[in-house]
Amino acid sequence: MQKKKSIVLFILAAIALIVLPHILQQFGNAWVRIADTALLYCLLALGLNIVVGYAGLLDLGYVAFYAIGAYMYALLNSSQLTDNFPAIAAMFPGGLHTPLLLVIPLALGLAGVFGVLLGAPTLKLRGDYLAIVTLGFGEIIRVFMNTLDHPANITNGAKGIDGIDSVHFFGLNLGKPLTIGGYTLSSVTLYYYLFLVFVLITLVISHRLQNSRVGRGWMAIREDEIAAKAMGINTRNMKLLAFGMGASFGGVSGAMFASFQSAITPESFNLNESVMIVAMVVLGGIGHLPGVILGAVLLATLPEVLRYVAGPLQALTDGRLDASILRQLFIALAMIIIMLVRPRGLWPSPDHGKSLASAKGSPVPIDGSIQQHGSGLEAPSDEVPGGAARPMSINP
């Protein structure tokens, strides 16, 4: 019965996700674009959840891998390199137009390598010190992209890169509307389905990792690294694997972001973005996949929804209050209230196991020192007939 109920819920959720962009499109493509952005943040949050939720490594520079994937896609699908490097223009006279099936593995590999490079020097750091180092890494990548326009113009500096190609595969251009039987699917709707596929694949991989030996090793490190090392877990390799796998998902998300926006600048990957991604994981429920998705969807859509609240308030004050500042204020208040009411997140992971005190009627096999009598647990008497105390013995 429970299995049938789960199947029905799964089918209903699948139908809702498929129909959602068509419903939103009736109110305008802007709402579908909000749904696309929410899916991108879901992909980012699921990647960060591997590092923070599973392995317990506080990473405040996760946006760096987002930037790496975005700039990699932009350089391979725009005229930036061919316009500034004659040798590359001679090799590719028709311009650089890298197909999606090649871009995704490159984004996975490049971001994963940078994730390992970040994790290698931070293996002995924990807590606040690890957060500071990863925060610095994120800012270094942003500044690096901001200044890499001389002596060779690679990233075009603060101006960013524009004219980025949209995703093409199997003759389908997601940058243009698609008409099927008289019904037109907008570009943002096509991107919605592409992002949804990536989120579902990432969700399946994360779920399989959580229930695997690697996932249990990460969780052991998260709970107590010293105890995990004493049990024989190679904490060094497990940490590097967590950094690499988490970063790879961030790289794919960045590549999709660049194709979706058609233009990127270094300011798209500032500290606020990194903090927002961490907040999605923490507010949703650390280590719990449904909670992480819930947190990503809420924090991605909340600023746009609050736009309709902040606007009228700005009008009431004759423009003395900036609408963007009011939106940030509302978001901060919402986060504070959520953490006060639900300190473990909106949808935390369920508790596993029961304490000995709550387990009734189950004997505990400790060399017979505790035996079951009736419905409770009673220890045998240490007295022998005649009132003499029985000497205590510990059986090997």
Side-chain angles (χ1 to χ4, degrees), residues 20 27 50 105 154 176-177 235 239 265 287 301 315 318 324 371 383:
L20 179 62
F27 302 95
I50 293 178
I154 298 177
K176 297 180 180 179
T235 57
K239 284 184 176 182
T265 62
T301 57
D318 296 329
S324 61
Q371 300 173 353
E383 295 185 358

Side-chain angles (χ1 to χ4, degrees), residues 149-201:
D149 56 348
H150 59 278
N153 187 5
I154 298 177
T155 63
N156 205 27
K159 297 179 182 178
I161 302 175
D162 56 5
I164 303 172
D165 295 342
S166 56
V167 171
H168 295 73
F169 63 96
F170 301 115
L172 179 63
N173 183 3
L174 298 190
K176 297 180 180 179
L178 176 65
T179 302
I180 302 176
Y183 185 79
T184 301
L185 294 174
S186 63
S187 174
V188 288
T189 301
L190 296 175
Y191 269 107
Y192 170 88
Y193 289 120
L194 177 64
F195 296 163
L196 181 61
V197 170
F198 279 115
V199 170
L200 292 177
I201 293 174

Side-chain angles (χ1 to χ4, degrees), residues 36 39-40 43 66 69-74 77 99-101 103-104 107 164-169 174 191 194-196 198-199 249-262 264:
D36 295 345
L39 288 176
L40 279 177
L43 189 57
Y66 191 41
Y71 270 92
M72 188 217 66
Y73 184 93
N77 287 275
L100 179 67
L101 296 180
V103 167
I104 297 304
I164 303 172
D165 295 342
S166 56
V167 171
H168 295 73
F169 63 96
L174 298 190
Y191 269 107
L194 177 64
F195 296 163
L196 181 61
F198 279 115
V199 170
F249 293 129
V252 173
S253 181
M256 294 299 98
F257 171 77
S259 68
F260 181 60
Q261 295 289 344
S262 300
I264 56 173

Side-chain angles (χ1 to χ4, degrees), residues 42-57:
C42 285
L43 189 57
L44 281 171
L46 288 172
L48 183 61
N49 184 60
I50 293 178
V51 183
V52 177
Y54 291 167
L57 305 171

Side-chain angles (χ1 to χ4, degrees), residues 71-385:
Y71 270 92
M72 188 217 66
Y73 184 93
L75 292 174
L76 295 179
N77 287 275
S78 69
S79 60
Q80 174 65 24
L81 294 179
T82 54
D83 289 346
N84 294 280
F85 298 93
I88 297 179
M91 293 174 60
F92 301 94
L96 281 171
H97 305 284
T98 311
L100 179 67
L101 296 180
L102 182 59
V103 167
I104 297 304
L106 288 176
L108 281 168
L110 184 62
V113 169
F114 273 92
V116 173
L117 292 177
L118 168 64
T122 62
L123 291 174
K124 295 184 179 181
L125 299 178
R126 303 176 188 172
D128 300 337
Y129 300 101
L130 178 62
I132 292 172
V133 172
T134 55
L135 175 63
F137 177 79
E139 285 299 294
I140 287 172
I141 294 296
R142 185 186 64 82
V143 173
F144 187 72
M145 298 300 181
N146 203 4
T147 57
L148 200 60
D149 56 348
H150 59 278
N153 187 5
I154 298 177
T155 63
N156 205 27
K159 297 179 182 178
I161 302 175
D162 56 5
I164 303 172
D165 295 342
S166 56
V167 171
H168 295 73
F169 63 96
F170 301 115
L172 179 63
N173 183 3
L174 298 190
K176 297 180 180 179
L178 176 65
T179 302
I180 302 176
Y183 185 79
T184 301
L185 294 174
S186 63
S187 174
V188 288
T189 301
L190 296 175
Y191 269 107
Y192 170 88
Y193 289 120
L194 177 64
F195 296 163
L196 181 61
V197 170
F198 279 115
V199 170
L200 292 177
I201 293 174
T202 306
L203 187 60
V204 171
I205 294 174
S206 298
H207 179 68
R208 298 287 291 179
L209 283 173
Q210 183 179 8
N211 297 326
S212 67
R213 184 177 180 181
V214 174
R216 293 194 296 270
W218 284 336
M219 294 175 193
I221 295 174
R222 179 190 65 191
E223 299 300 329
D224 193 329
E225 184 178 350
I226 297 176
K229 187 179 294 186
M231 289 188 296
I233 297 176
N234 192 330
T235 57
R236 177 178 63 87
N237 291 349
M238 295 296 288
K239 284 184 176 182
L240 291 178
L241 182 61
F243 273 113
M245 292 201 67
S248 62
F249 293 129
V252 173
S253 181
M256 294 299 98
F257 171 77
S259 68
F260 181 60
Q261 295 289 344
S262 300
I264 56 173
T265 62
E267 294 306 314
S268 300
F269 313 102
N270 54 25
L271 177 61
N272 291 335
E273 290 293 318
S274 190
V275 173
M276 184 65 74
I277 301 169
V278 175
M280 291 174 181
V281 177
V282 174
L283 292 180
I286 296 179
H288 193 218
L289 295 179
V292 171
I293 294 176
L294 177 62
V297 170
L298 287 179
L299 287 184
T301 57
L302 189 61
E304 302 301 326
V305 173
L306 290 178
R307 186 188 302 274
Y308 298 97
V309 179
L313 288 179
Q314 185 184 24
L316 289 175
T317 58
D318 296 329
R320 285 190 294 269
L321 291 178
D322 188 8
S324 61
I325 296 177
L326 284 174
R327 287 168 57 204
Q328 295 296 327
L329 176 62
F330 290 150
I331 293 173
L333 288 176
M335 293 172 64
I336 292 173
I337 293 172
I338 290 173
M339 293 307 296
L340 289 176
V341 177
R342 305 279 294 180
R344 294 184 57 200
L346 291 174
W347 197 344
S349 57
D351 294 328
H352 297 286
K354 295 182 178 180
S355 62
L356 179 63
S358 63
K360 295 184 178 180
S362 300
V364 181
I366 310 178
D367 291 333
S369 58
I370 298 180
Q371 300 173 353
Q372 183 179 7
H373 295 278
S375 60
L377 298 177
E378 299 178 2
S381 174
D382 287 336
E383 295 185 358
V384 297

